[in-house]
Amino acid sequence: MAILNETQLAKELIKFPSITPIDAGVMKFLEKKLKKLGFNTKIIEFKEKNFKPVKNLYARLGNKEPNFCYAGHLDVVPPGNINDWTVNPFKPSIKKGHLIGRGANDMKSSIAAFVSAVSNFLSKNKKFNGSISLLITGDEEGEAINGTKKVVKYLKKKKEKINFCLVGVPTNPNKLGEMIKIGRRGSLTGKLTIFGLQGHVAYPHRANNPSTTIVKILKEIKDIKFDKGTKDFQPTNLEITKININNPADNIIPAAATATFNIRFNNRHSSNSIKKRLNKIFNKISKKNRSKFKIEYRVSGEAFLTKPDKTTFMIQSIIKKITKIKPKLSTTGGTSDLRFIKTISPGLEFGLVGKTMHKVDEAVSLKDLKNLTKIYHTILQKYFK
Ligand SMILES: [Zn+2]
């Protein structure tokens, strides 16, 4: 069996302009590669009203347990102004030891590294004890409606068992080896509207200014001390992101005021417990000010954590051995697709250096790519030992 070269494969993947939710043929391309390695594959397309359909891929080699799963995404963010790039973002080029192109570190190269590692592993371990699987979505950078969330549902229905999941998104801030993510904070966005009574500024007793109410509410919710953080998590934090009072004149007390806020919360809370707490405040202050309120929430994900276990520590020590850096077990940053996968499997995230992700001239160092492939290969060897 031929061992696939990670750089070559990364280049081939980057050539597909797979900007969410467009697939551009990349899923089929990867499927072919995996089939050649002996995987059973299935491209699963999900549709939903008002959203573009998205292709996802689940591939599995072997039918025994344990099933070690690699998860990632083949969609990329738009390149922005192509003229700002020094190369064509979809014609990957190598300059000064770096592969440049959209998806170079977020995260086509990581997928290339894993597939290359698998091909290497299989060349020496034709009969290993267990299964290797890949869960690849095309909807990570977009709405995440027709992506991993639905694949997980599909796998649950099929009673597909995954024993451990490695998500290959970029996790290292500056150097390969710095950081493993073992969980993520939850994210909750709220849009609050306060309804008062419009009137003349000179006659406030005949009006009810919603801005007074909303300012009081925002002050109170910003001052909440949710927690002090935990061993694994930063403290829960609320940020007000928008305050809008659409008032065309300066002599009018407005009729309504809106504000938007986002909360990143740790695993001492759920989105529901936070909603309850906030709603109490909205109720209390609105009532006091004789105004009405409307609140709309959007939950991007709950907080989650995989308590470090022997697989976590095994992976940590492999990374340390290869990069000479002991990776921190962290829960910082935004949320990830592991928030969906954690409902069926424990897991962690480890990928490339995220410094240039979503930027112009997104790049990966070839040395990092080689080392990541080595890390993934060693993980497979140790996991199935
Ligand atoms: Zn991204």
Side-chain angles (χ1 to χ4, degrees):
M1 195 178 289
I3 297 172
L4 297 167
N5 175 273
E6 67 279 1
T7 309
Q8 185 54 34
L9 186 54
K11 271 178 154 178
E12 286 174 310
L13 292 173
I14 292 168
K15 276 184 197 157
F16 293 90
S18 51
I19 301 164
T20 340
I22 296 157
D23 157 84
V26 71
M27 228 28 111
K28 195 105 211 146
F29 172 84
L30 181 66
E31 183 185 39
K32 255 193 192 159
K33 292 272 173 203
L34 293 172
K35 269 197 169 136
K36 266 197 189 150
L37 292 174
F39 278 81
N40 278 316
T41 62
K42 190 168 171 65
I43 288 184
I44 321 157
E45 191 178 58
F46 291 116
K47 295 177 187 160
E48 191 159 317
K49 220 180 128 194
N50 300 326
F51 294 96
K52 295 253 167 64
V54 174
K55 285 194 178 81
N56 301 273
L57 171 72
Y58 182 72
R60 178 167 175 165
L61 180 75
N63 40 33
K64 278 183 275 182
E65 277 186 38
N67 180 10
F68 184 90
C69 181
Y70 171 92
H73 64 90
L74 274 176
D75 59 324
V76 295
V77 293
N81 188 351
I82 293 199
N83 296 328
D84 293 342
W85 287 67
T86 61
V87 304
N88 181 321
F90 300 109
K91 283 198 182 118
S93 354
I94 292 172
K95 274 188 187 173
K96 291 183 191 153
H98 285 74
L99 173 64
I100 310 173
R102 178 54 90 222
N105 71 54
D106 185 14
M107 59 168 283
K108 287 176 168 172
S109 301
S110 165
I111 294 176
F114 187 76
V115 175
S116 162
V118 170
S119 70
N120 198 352
F121 174 76
L122 293 176
S123 71
K124 286 155 210 138
N125 306 274
K126 287 225 161 50
K127 280 189 185 144
F128 63 100
N129 242 325
S131 307
I132 299 170
S133 56
L134 285 96
L135 191 174
I136 307 293
T137 181
D139 192 13
E140 202 263 359
E141 302 288 8
E143 307 277 353
I145 300 279
N146 288 316
T148 304
K149 191 180 179 178
K150 285 191 178 156
V151 181
V152 165
K153 236 184 178 173
Y154 165 89
L155 294 176
K156 257 187 200 167
K157 225 170 109 190
K158 292 247 163 206
K159 299 207 162 45
E160 179 77 9
K161 174 111 174 128
I162 292 172
N163 298 84
F164 197 85
C165 185
L166 166 68
V167 183
V169 288
T171 50
N172 303 285
N174 295 298
K175 275 188 190 149
L176 188 77
E178 284 173 332
M179 195 176 278
I180 292 173
K181 307 248 181 181
I182 53 166
R184 297 280 187 145
R185 290 174 296 169
S187 173
L188 170 70
T189 302
K191 186 183 173 195
L192 174 72
T193 307
I194 301 292
F195 302 99
L197 181 63
Q198 189 181 311
H200 196 301
V201 255
Y203 302 91
H205 54 284
R206 288 189 198 144
N208 179 3
N209 197 340
S211 56
T212 313
T213 314
I214 209 159
V215 165
K216 278 183 188 156
I217 288 178
L218 295 180
K219 162 112 181 63
E220 187 151 335
I221 63 173
K222 180 62 198 162
D223 286 346
I224 299 175
K225 294 270 172 290
F226 286 97
D227 55 70
K228 287 184 179 151
T230 70
K231 189 171 117 301
D232 300 305
F233 281 99
Q234 299 164 259
T236 297
N237 182 52
L238 179 150
E239 289 299 328
I240 289 147
T241 51
K242 283 178 201 157
I243 302 175
N244 294 321
I245 300 171
N246 199 356
N247 192 352
D250 293 337
N251 57 356
I252 290 176
I253 288 173
T258 67
T260 308
F261 53 88
N262 177 269
I263 303 172
R264 297 296 160 120
F265 56 94
N266 60 39
N267 63 349
R268 300 193 48 186
H269 312 270
S270 69
S271 58
N272 275 333
S273 70
I274 290 179
K275 282 182 199 171
K276 258 193 200 156
R277 188 154 176 193
L278 296 176
N279 289 346
K280 256 190 199 158
I281 295 172
F282 302 152
N283 250 317
K284 182 187 79 185
I285 299 179
S286 303
K287 220 172 163 184
K288 227 175 167 177
N289 288 270
R290 294 171 294 113
S291 11
K292 287 207 158 53
F293 76 91
K294 184 174 102 184
I295 178 75
E296 295 157 272
Y297 287 113
R298 193 166 52 83
V299 183
S300 312
E302 298 292 337
F304 64 89
L305 177 78
T306 292
K307 277 260 168 243
D309 63 2
K310 65 174 201 303
T311 310
T312 316
F313 295 125
M314 179 263 283
I315 292 174
Q316 189 182 33
S317 82
I318 290 169
I319 295 167
K320 191 184 164 199
K321 201 157 177 210
I322 291 172
T323 64
K324 312 279 182 272
I325 303 171
K326 185 177 177 188
K328 253 195 192 153
L329 304 177
S330 165
T331 58
T332 54
T335 189
S336 84
D337 269 4
L338 195 54
R339 72 188 187 275
F340 305 123
I341 301 166
K342 56 115 195 198
T343 60
I344 53 169
S345 168
L348 58 75
E349 301 167 41
F350 185 74
L352 288 158
V353 176
K355 249 195 313 200
T356 62
M357 60 181 171
H358 296 206
K359 286 192 178 173
V360 159
D361 278 358
E362 180 179 341
V364 60
S365 119
L366 295 181
K367 194 176 151 224
D368 283 358
L369 185 51
K370 202 170 189 171
N371 277 337
L372 185 68
T373 309
K374 220 173 172 180
I375 289 167
Y376 287 164
H377 182 204
T378 316
I379 291 173
L380 292 173
Q381 284 174 322
K382 293 246 156 107
Y383 187 80
F384 291 111
K385 212 172 180 175

